[in-house]
Amino acid sequence: MTRPLVDFARRLQPDADATTADAVVETAATNRRAEFESALYRLFANLTGASAPSVRRRSARAVYQLSEIVPGALVTYGTELIPALDDDPARPYIAGSLTHIVYEGMRGETFRSDREALVQDLARQIGTDTTVSAVRYLSRIATRWDRIVATVEPTLVDGLSSEDEAVRTAAVRAFATMWAHHLDGTDAIPPLLDCTCDSSPLVRAHAIAALGDIAFQDRGEQDAPVAATPEIIDAGTRLLTDDDERARYDAAACFAEADYWVEYEGDRCWIETADRNRIDAAVDALVEALDDPSTPVVRQAAAALHIYAGFETRALIPHVDRLVDYGWSVQPNSTLIQRALKSLAADHPSALSDHSSFLLDRLRNHKDATAATILGRLAPADGEAAHSAVSSLTDLLGSPKRTDRRTAAKALAEVHRVDSTLVPDYVEALTEAVDGTDVNTKPGMGWEPLATLAPDHPETATALACQAVDRLTEWPSPPDLRLVYKLGEANPHTISPVADRLIDLLDHDNTSVVGAAAKSLRGALMLDGSVQIPPSAAAALASRLDDLSRSARMDAERIIDVVREESTDA
């Protein structure tokens, strides 16, 4: 034990030392309460009354050590410590002490009333004569969920309008940390909006952080979106150009919140509560923030634009030139801007037509997978650019990177969907690339985009599926192939030969192969009347049940049940 605790213990027992101090304190706190309280009040006197900072710091350290050993014994003295939070030498120790008291010393229902009393005392200290220290402490305990904190929310709301800047700062910081802990926050919205115009940049920053959490947090199905969301968007948009870097950062971070979805009468997004002019203004400000001198601000702005692209790509259209420049430069989160442009190309392909030459250059000379994706999505608006990209997309199919091959296959499928005449000579190359020779590539990768070939090229689609099934026997742990179901959805005529091959594998020596075949066939059974499994195959499968893995056995049992039901009906 450190010296401050030993000194306290010697007030209770003169021969206490470093090895016995903690035991002396515990015994006194339980069995010699009057002596313990007397020693405690002498310690408190030094904590607040000593003129020497070193004495106050030493006393605060002693209190902290006591709170580690006997936090429950200090419960009723929490408010005695509050004034020391305004003392720089004592503050860190006292803040830690109060945290121990609240969260360690008041465990269980037996301490519930004491904890409520302590927190309510803090609220009363704020009252009309608000103290910075009390607000700071409420902010601190709000960082952990406790339903009691909600009882003092009204007094914190009052603190937001205090004439004392220090009080406003402490109160607004409290609200910036509380929302993950299920406080309501409705009454705080008007004063928090006022705080976004505060003379203190720190108050402005904390205010927009709190408001962002209020507007953009997750909400249950019965919870309406926050009514003030439009005003919060306005405040965030304004603060993106604030003179203070912290305020600009928190404004950008506000728009870059990860949890934007609000469930209310179906899936809804907070942005639906704002009119398009506000959305456009926010996007305009975020794009301008890409030129901010602060790298953290730029990073958050780019992240926010990426999130916007998930549900409101229209607002990005006026800024395509700037976003393309940013996306293909060495800038913070530039890859997120590339993703935003991919979303834009999917929703509004014509918006990127003017950049087709640049994208073709990126694809041809840099094997750029993002450019490949965008060019595929441009096909409905710019057939010429898509046709020019086909050769380079086919070259990309030979990439050693599996992700590049998959991207190229998807892009070619996009082009083919729009106009099959644009890719008449590349079906064979597509087949070879997806089949692949890379031993690290599991069969089946890239098949989903190739299902788009099934309506117009059923023979090719069937051949591709058969190749994948034939390779099931080559892999120690065959993958779960869903391609029979995928191809069957696109064109039921493509899957009969594939299903026959899978049925033949149900009595294979390798139980992993049997399991993979069973999984694929179970998916095929979802296609009405497209696949018929003979009773003999079901019987063979039934004889292997004990050899299969748990999940494969469930698939196999389902197949057996379906065949048995069909036989009974017949």
Side-chain angles (χ1 to χ4, degrees):
M1 291 297 163
T2 55
R3 188 71 191 181
L5 183 65
V6 173
D7 290 344
F8 180 85
R10 285 178 177 171
R11 294 178 180 178
L12 302 168
Q13 184 173 310
D15 63 350
D17 57 25
T19 60
T20 62
D22 56 345
V24 169
V25 167
E26 286 185 281
T27 300
T30 304
N31 302 323
R32 300 159 55 193
R33 190 69 181 179
E35 293 179 60
F36 178 81
E37 291 179 351
S38 176
L40 198 61
Y41 274 112
R42 280 183 284 163
L43 180 63
F44 290 164
N46 283 335
L47 179 65
T48 57
S51 58
S54 61
V55 174
R56 300 198 303 275
R57 182 184 297 108
R58 188 181 184 86
S59 299
R61 288 177 59 196
V63 173
Y64 179 77
Q65 290 160 11
L66 287 171
S67 73
E68 290 183 302
I69 299 171
V70 288
L74 301 180
V75 167
T76 57
Y77 304 102
T79 54
E80 302 284 344
L81 303 176
I82 295 300
L85 285 173
D86 284 330
D87 183 31
D88 289 337
R91 179 181 298 116
Y93 299 106
I94 298 305
S97 301
L98 287 166
T99 300
H100 284 152
I101 292 170
V102 171
Y103 292 106
E104 301 299 331
M106 302 189 203
R107 292 186 181 276
E109 290 301 319
T110 57
F111 290 110
R112 173 62 63 182
S113 60
D114 286 336
R115 188 190 296 189
E116 289 180 348
L118 173 57
V119 177
Q120 290 294 347
D121 281 345
L122 290 170
R124 280 192 290 272
Q125 287 195 40
I126 295 175
T128 56
D129 184 21
T130 307
T131 64
V132 178
S133 54
V135 178
R136 281 177 179 154
Y137 181 58
L138 284 178
S139 173
R140 184 176 182 84
I141 63 175
T143 60
R144 300 190 185 187
W145 163 239
D146 192 298
R147 63 188 181 188
I148 297 174
V149 179
T151 67
V152 301
E153 185 176 350
T155 55
L156 285 174
V157 172
D158 291 341
L160 294 172
S161 303
S162 171
E163 294 182 1
D164 187 338
E165 180 181 312
V167 173
R168 294 197 308 277
T169 303
V172 77
R173 182 183 180 280
F175 280 96
T177 62
M178 281 187 177
W179 303 116
H181 311 292
H182 312 292
L183 294 183
D184 176 64
T186 303
D187 293 338
I189 291 175
L192 282 172
L193 285 169
D194 290 340
C195 284
T196 63
C197 299
D198 198 274
S199 58
S200 166
L202 189 57
V203 171
R204 298 197 299 272
H206 284 324
I208 195 59
L211 288 166
D213 284 340
I214 295 172
F216 308 143
Q217 65 177 320
D218 282 337
R219 288 179 175 265
E221 293 182 359
Q222 304 304 316
D223 297 326
V226 173
T229 297
E231 289 75 18
I232 294 172
I233 293 174
D234 289 345
T237 301
R238 171 169 44 78
L239 288 177
L240 282 170
T241 58
D242 195 89
D243 292 338
D244 183 73
E245 178 183 348
R246 173 66 180 271
R248 298 197 307 276
Y249 174 86
D250 280 341
C254 161
F255 287 115
E257 285 284 341
D259 298 326
Y260 278 83
W261 294 100
V262 176
E263 294 182 4
Y264 178 63
E265 297 179 352
D267 288 340
R268 294 188 61 195
C269 173
W270 65 268
I271 206 167
E272 296 178 23
T273 66
D275 61 75
R276 287 196 165 184
N277 289 334
R278 279 191 167 93
I279 296 170
D280 291 343
V283 171
D284 291 348
L286 287 167
V287 172
E288 290 183 12
L290 294 178
D291 295 318
D292 196 280
S294 166
T295 297
V297 173
V298 173
R299 187 176 299 279
Q300 291 294 336
L305 288 167
H306 168 244
I307 290 174
Y308 265 97
F311 43 73
E312 187 61 29
T313 52
R314 176 202 57 78
L316 302 180
I317 294 175
H319 306 287
V320 168
D321 293 347
R322 177 69 184 102
L323 295 176
V324 170
D325 288 343
Y326 189 94
W328 277 272
S329 61
V330 182
Q331 296 287 347
N333 280 343
S334 58
T335 56
L336 294 183
I337 297 299
Q338 289 187 8
R339 294 179 194 174
L341 290 169
K342 287 195 290 187
S343 297
L344 178 60
D347 295 342
H348 305 281
S350 60
L352 284 156
S353 292
D354 290 344
H355 296 275
S356 57
S357 296
F358 168 77
L359 295 167
L360 282 167
D361 178 72
R362 292 292 309 179
L363 175 59
R364 288 168 180 162
N365 298 318
H366 302 279
K367 307 298 182 185
D368 190 321
T370 298
T373 297
I374 294 176
L375 285 165
R377 294 175 179 178
L378 287 184
D382 194 339
E384 182 178 349
H387 185 269
S388 299
V390 166
S391 178
S392 296
L393 288 172
T394 305
D395 290 341
L396 191 61
L397 288 172
S399 169
K401 295 176 62 177
R402 180 179 64 189
T403 53
D404 283 353
R405 295 198 300 273
R406 186 176 177 85
T407 296
K410 285 184 175 181
L412 283 167
E414 293 276 1
V415 176
H416 183 274
R417 182 183 292 112
V418 174
D419 187 350
S420 61
T421 64
L422 295 178
V423 287
D425 302 323
Y426 298 100
V427 172
E428 182 177 358
L430 196 61
T431 303
E432 293 173 355
V434 175
D435 181 58
T437 57
D438 183 354
V439 296
N440 293 318
T441 303
K442 290 185 177 181
M445 288 300 297
W447 290 87
E448 184 176 345
L450 292 180
T452 60
L453 297 176
D456 298 325
H457 300 275
E459 297 83 3
T460 300
T462 298
L464 292 171
C466 287
Q467 289 175 24
V469 172
D470 289 344
R471 293 187 65 188
L472 281 175
T473 60
E474 302 175 13
W475 295 86
S477 300
D480 172 12
L481 296 179
R482 302 291 184 184
L483 63 93
V484 174
Y485 177 64
K486 295 287 186 183
L487 292 177
E489 280 187 315
N491 186 344
H493 299 295
T494 62
I495 67 169
S496 180
V498 189
D500 290 343
R501 293 190 184 212
L502 288 168
I503 290 170
D504 290 341
L505 292 175
L506 291 179
D507 61 355
H508 194 275
D509 293 338
N510 188 329
T511 56
S512 295
V513 172
V514 176
K519 285 180 178 293
S520 290
L521 284 170
R522 181 182 178 184
L525 288 174
M526 299 170 64
L527 302 167
D528 296 337
S530 298
V531 175
Q532 297 293 326
I533 301 177
S536 59
L541 188 58
S543 67
R544 305 290 301 281
L545 286 178
D546 292 340
D547 299 327
L548 300 179
S549 67
R550 183 174 179 273
S551 61
R553 185 163 59 250
M554 293 174 63
D555 292 319
E557 289 172 344
R558 178 57 181 155
I559 291 172
I560 294 167
D561 289 342
V562 170
V563 172
R564 184 180 296 118
E565 291 170 3
E566 291 176 348
S567 299
T568 301
D569 293 340

